[in-house]
Amino acid sequence: MNAHAVYSVLDLTGTFAFAISGAVAARQRRLDLFGIASVAFMVACGGGIVRDICIGAIPPAGLSNWRYLASSLLASAIAVLAYPSVRRFRHPVLFFDAIGLGIFSVSGAQKALTYSHNAELAVLLGIVSAVGGGVMRDVVLSRVPAILEREIYASAALLGAAVQVGASYAGLTAWWTPWFATVLCVTVRLASLYLGWRLPIFRGRRADAFRNNE
């Protein structure tokens, strides 16, 4: 399997995983079928569309390639028809979101490199690809986006994108490189959920005094 095929598989797998997370979240909020499909597509393709616009990949793959829409619709169907089975996961939205986070952070960074952008932009757009759809989902469903909380979320995407970009610059272009970066990101995200890892909060005396007076 050549590199292009690997990243295509990664991208479509991430699309499906993110679509599942969006569809399940919409199902939990009791949206109708159109609402579930809309949220699933938004989560699956929102970050990738923003990335493609930024790197000049016009029209964005999420809008021009039927496979992305098909993946999101398939995920919506699974969320509706097999919801009891999907719900058996302890936290299905978080589980599938973690998988999509890892895959999109890596494939997003690599696509930016493919379009001859530098390492800094590749890492940043890898993060945008990974967290953009989730932010849209949370805003539409009236939830606080995960990247605005203390969770290890965007930082896990940063790790996956940075490892992929670093490997590319080091000449490590083996088929297993993107999978390694993806597994690393997913592992850190799931471990942070399981072990309760949080980012630190730095408070000064003025901030503490203001908080005590509230």
Side-chain angles (χ1 to χ4, degrees):
M1 183 179 291
N2 58 37
H4 177 73
V6 170
Y7 293 116
S8 296
V9 171
L10 271 175
D11 215 27
L12 288 173
T13 305
T15 298
F16 181 79
F18 262 149
I20 283 283
S21 74
V24 171
R27 178 74 167 76
Q28 291 173 344
R29 288 300 181 98
R30 300 183 181 276
L31 271 62
D32 61 15
L33 183 59
F34 180 79
I36 293 173
S38 298
V39 173
F41 180 78
M42 185 184 304
V43 178
C45 301
I49 290 173
V50 173
R51 173 204 64 209
D52 287 353
I53 292 174
C54 290
I55 66 177
I58 305 297
L63 298 177
S64 62
N65 191 330
W66 64 270
R67 294 179 179 85
Y68 293 92
L69 177 60
S71 296
S72 63
L73 292 178
L74 176 61
S76 301
I78 291 175
V80 172
L81 300 176
Y83 182 69
S85 299
V86 176
R87 194 174 54 180
R88 291 176 184 175
F89 290 100
R90 184 180 179 184
H91 298 292
V93 174
L94 296 177
F95 176 77
F96 287 107
D97 188 70
I99 295 175
L101 185 79
I103 293 175
F104 268 29
S105 65
V106 173
S107 64
Q110 183 59 40
K111 188 167 185 177
L113 291 177
T114 302
Y115 277 73
S116 302
H117 293 288
N118 59 33
E120 178 184 0
L121 186 60
V123 172
L124 290 176
L125 290 180
I127 298 173
V128 169
S129 300
V131 307
V135 171
M136 295 178 187
R137 174 200 61 211
D138 292 340
V139 170
V140 169
L141 298 180
S142 300
R143 307 191 311 189
V144 177
I147 62 172
L148 299 182
E149 297 181 323
R150 295 174 58 194
E151 295 184 9
I152 307 296
Y153 189 73
S155 50
L158 170 63
L159 176 62
V163 169
Q164 177 61 26
V165 171
S168 296
Y169 271 75
L172 299 176
T173 57
W175 65 267
W176 54 265
T177 304
W179 296 109
F180 172 77
T182 299
V183 170
L184 183 62
C185 175
V186 174
T187 300
V188 170
R189 172 58 177 161
L190 292 178
S192 70
L193 293 172
Y194 182 77
L195 300 175
W197 295 345
R198 295 290 187 272
L199 293 176
I201 295 179
F202 300 96
R203 298 175 179 173
R205 294 182 178 179
R206 293 182 179 179
D208 291 337
F210 177 78
R211 182 177 295 273
N212 292 333
N213 291 330
E214 289 184 336

